[in-house]
């Protein structure tokens, strides 16, 4: 489920203007907005009852001036985020509003675009400041074709299906993304649209840009009809989008192409944990060693936040886990066993592994990996005792 929404209230002494601004603001943002017709000491009673809204849109006039003074007398940490709309652009009123901690000051009537811009920024800052950020996990191949997209998809699906967490999968292969095919869902909007519109989106609106799998997993991806060039996306918009989504959901999984550019660099720097997908070959070891070195030296990412996953692992492969561990110099190495038939059918049908082959070894190892990434499963899905040890995949 999504995290708690922000409470918004309009306070004023004129019933007609309260109704007018309620309609105006409701048409701009998709949120529940309450109104309060100000009467003597109303704000004080609300504060005593701890029912002050998080965002207060204050219609300032001679009657509500007393309420503004009450706000000013409160400790600054207890005040709501304040947006003041006054009858005219009086400097004295503006000064009083600033003393009360107003984030913005407008004179009546207020232009829609100016009001939307101010509210969007207030909501953005408020949610970022008050919320525990969701975990951002980036999955990237050490070498092309290692299976990173498939693993990212199935980790996200398992996290959504087996836990009470809200989970989002971001497909950042902007030219050849395949996650909508892996889940057999058709996006109505794309991640590029969300990036272009992000400065105008709030925490409810962004949900409308995502398509939802039956497991509850949310997806932002591209379509094959869309051609996106690297310069088409602003890094500032990407940063805004990551903050917006991380503030609103518990787990965010990113399918990141194997390349280093401004966009991928911004994602890697924001990631809480990075999963590097390799296979049992010297070529993969060479590229994995280089990639982990870049992450540590250029992006200052701690070794504990980098996990190596050996995909399509086979006991008779040319390199065993100890060889891989010593080559890459990583303490966290996991294996996903080779199961060509299950993976091929799962991909062709657009059915995630947990739904297609729930009891297979590859699925059990994927579940174990998701748990290692901090996903908390519901009690009925937690492995216990002998079985947990049996399916443990950590080197």
């Amino acid at each position: 489920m999504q995290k708690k929404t922000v409470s918004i209230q309009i306070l004023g002494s004129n019933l007609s203007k309260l109704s007018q601004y309620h309609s105006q603001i409701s048409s701009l943002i998709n949120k529940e907005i309450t109104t309060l017709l100000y009467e003597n000491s109303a704000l004080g009673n609300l504060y005593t009852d701890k029912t002050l809204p998080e965002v207060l849109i204050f219609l300032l006039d001679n009657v509500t001036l007393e309420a503004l003074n009450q706000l000013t007398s409160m400790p600054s940490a207890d005040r709501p985020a304040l947006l003041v709309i006054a009858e005219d652009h009086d400097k004295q009123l503006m000064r009083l509003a600033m003393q009360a901690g107003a984030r913005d000051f407008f004179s009546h009537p207020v232009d829609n675009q100016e009001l939307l811009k101010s509210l969007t920024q207030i909501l953005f800052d408020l949610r970022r400041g008050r919320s525990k950020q969701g975990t951002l996990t980036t999955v990237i191949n050490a070498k092309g074709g290692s299976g990173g997209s498939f693993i990212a998809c199935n980790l996200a699906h398992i996290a959504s299906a087996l836990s009470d967490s809200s989970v989002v999968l971001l497909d950042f292969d902007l030219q050849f993304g395949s996650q909508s095919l892996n889940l057999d869902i058709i996006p109505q909007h794309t991640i590029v649209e969300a990036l272009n519109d992000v400065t105008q989106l709030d925490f409810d609106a962004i949900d409308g840009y995502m398509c939802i799998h039956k497991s509850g997993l949310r997806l932002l991806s591209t379509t094959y009809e869309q051609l996106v060039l690297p310069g088409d996306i602003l890094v500032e918009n990407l940063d805004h989008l990551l903050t917006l989504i991380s503030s609103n959901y518990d787990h965010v999984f990113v399918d990141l192409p194997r390349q280093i550019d401004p966009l991928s660099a911004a994602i890697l720097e924001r990631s809480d944990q990075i999963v590097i997908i390799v296979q049992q070959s010297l070529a993969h070891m060479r590229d994995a060693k280089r990639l982990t070195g870049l992450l540590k030296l250029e992006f200052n990412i701690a070794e504990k936040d980098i996990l190596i996953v050996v995909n399509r692992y086979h006991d008779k492969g040319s390199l065993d886990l100890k060889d891989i561990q010593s080559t890459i110099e990583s303490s966290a190495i996991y294996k996903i066993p080779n199961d060509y038939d299950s993976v091929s059918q799962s991909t062709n049908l657009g059915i995630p592994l947990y739904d297609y082959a729930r009891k297979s070894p590859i699925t059990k190892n994927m579940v174990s990996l998701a748990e290692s990434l901090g996903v908390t499963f519901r009690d009925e899905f937690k492995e216990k005792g002998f079985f947990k040890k049996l399916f443990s995949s950590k080197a």
Side-chain angles (χ1 to χ4, degrees):
M1 62 184 68
Q2 282 182 262
K3 297 178 182 177
K4 177 178 174 289
T5 56
V6 178
S7 57
I8 304 174
Q9 187 172 81
I10 308 173
L11 180 146
S13 64
N14 185 300
L15 189 59
S16 175
K17 284 186 177 176
L18 271 177
S19 177
Q20 173 192 335
Y21 277 106
H22 183 272
S23 298
Q24 182 178 351
I25 295 168
S26 296
S27 69
L28 298 176
I29 58 174
N30 182 27
K31 286 201 172 290
E32 182 178 350
I33 302 169
T34 62
T35 59
L36 175 65
L37 183 64
Y38 178 74
E39 297 175 350
N40 289 339
S41 301
L43 189 64
N45 290 337
L46 283 174
Y47 174 61
T48 301
D49 295 336
K50 298 183 179 179
T51 53
L52 268 174
E54 292 168 278
V55 178
L56 181 60
I57 300 167
F58 199 99
L59 308 184
L60 181 59
D61 55 27
N62 290 332
V63 177
T64 57
L65 187 58
E66 176 190 350
L68 186 69
N69 291 332
Q70 291 179 26
L71 267 180
T72 305
S73 67
M74 294 179 188
S76 58
D78 295 335
R79 299 173 197 163
L82 184 63
L83 189 156
V84 174
I85 301 173
E87 280 297 308
D88 53 56
H89 208 76
D90 183 274
K91 290 184 178 180
Q92 176 66 9
L93 291 179
M94 183 186 297
R95 184 178 66 81
L96 294 173
M98 295 304 110
Q99 288 176 350
R103 292 285 303 273
D104 224 330
F105 182 94
F106 297 105
S107 57
H108 176 79
V110 186
D111 177 75
N112 271 352
Q113 291 303 312
E114 291 297 318
L115 189 54
L116 176 61
K117 181 179 178 181
S118 179
L119 280 171
T120 299
Q121 188 62 51
I122 288 174
L123 292 172
F124 180 81
D125 292 343
L126 182 63
R127 192 58 177 264
R128 179 170 56 182
R130 80 166 193 190
S131 297
K132 179 182 182 298
Q133 297 287 296
T135 302
L136 180 61
T137 302
T138 295
V139 181
I140 184 172
N141 287 322
K143 195 169 185 62
S146 299
S149 293
F150 182 79
I151 290 176
C153 177
N154 282 279
L155 286 175
H157 174 261
I158 287 168
S160 184
L162 275 63
S163 78
D164 291 323
S165 303
S166 53
V167 184
V168 176
L169 174 60
L170 302 178
D171 188 349
F172 267 97
D173 190 340
L174 300 179
Q175 296 183 350
F176 297 98
S178 60
Q179 296 297 5
S180 60
L181 299 176
N182 289 336
L183 295 167
D184 193 26
I185 49 182
I186 301 173
Q188 299 299 311
H189 300 281
T190 69
I191 194 169
V192 177
E193 290 178 74
L195 284 164
N196 289 335
D197 299 341
V198 69
T199 57
Q200 300 178 32
L201 300 180
D202 64 12
F203 306 99
D204 295 316
I206 188 61
D207 201 61
Y209 279 69
M210 302 180 190
C211 46
I212 305 177
H213 186 260
K214 64 181 181 180
S215 64
L217 173 62
R218 284 161 165 77
L219 171 68
L220 262 180
S221 65
T222 54
T223 62
Y224 277 109
E225 295 78 16
Q226 196 170 30
L227 177 63
V228 184
L229 300 176
D232 293 343
I233 306 299
L234 296 176
V235 175
E236 306 84 68
N237 286 10
L238 170 60
D239 187 65
H240 198 131
L241 180 70
L242 292 176
T243 298
L244 183 65
I245 292 177
S246 294
S247 298
N248 215 30
Y249 300 90
D250 299 311
H251 290 280
V252 182
F253 289 86
V254 177
D255 176 15
L256 190 65
R258 178 180 172 266
Q259 61 191 41
I260 303 296
D261 58 23
L263 292 182
S264 62
I267 293 170
L268 292 168
E269 287 176 340
R270 290 285 301 266
S271 298
D272 297 296
Q273 45 198 4
I274 298 171
V275 180
I276 299 176
I277 312 301
V278 304
Q279 293 188 47
Q280 290 167 281
S281 77
L282 289 175
H284 281 83
M285 294 305 100
R286 179 196 63 200
D287 286 5
K289 187 175 180 65
R290 173 164 169 73
L291 180 56
T292 55
L294 286 171
L295 293 176
K296 294 174 185 177
L297 296 176
E298 301 296 331
F299 297 97
N300 295 316
I301 294 174
E303 181 178 322
K304 67 180 179 63
D305 298 325
I306 301 173
L307 289 82
I308 306 297
V309 172
V310 186
N311 193 25
R312 302 167 188 147
Y313 182 83
H314 195 285
D315 288 336
K316 296 182 180 180
S318 58
L319 298 171
D320 60 23
L321 289 179
K322 289 184 178 179
D323 294 329
I324 296 170
Q325 191 167 30
S326 61
T327 302
I328 303 178
E329 298 177 350
S330 174
S331 58
I333 298 185
Y334 297 79
K335 63 182 180 182
I336 302 296
N338 188 33
D339 188 345
Y340 176 82
D341 290 339
S342 294
V343 171
S344 178
Q345 288 300 312
S346 169
T347 303
N348 290 338
L349 296 172
I351 302 175
L353 268 179
Y354 188 80
D355 292 342
Y356 179 76
R358 185 164 304 184
K359 296 182 179 181
S360 67
I362 185 175
T363 304
K364 292 178 183 295
N365 280 47
M366 202 81 76
V367 169
S368 178
L369 176 58
E371 191 171 27
S372 299
L373 292 169
V375 178
T376 302
F377 298 143
R378 296 194 293 275
D379 287 341
E380 62 264 35
F381 296 118
K382 290 180 179 177
E383 296 176 332
K384 295 181 175 66
F386 169 76
F387 292 100
K388 185 168 185 178
K389 294 178 182 178
L390 178 66
F391 295 118
S392 175
S393 58
K394 187 170 182 178

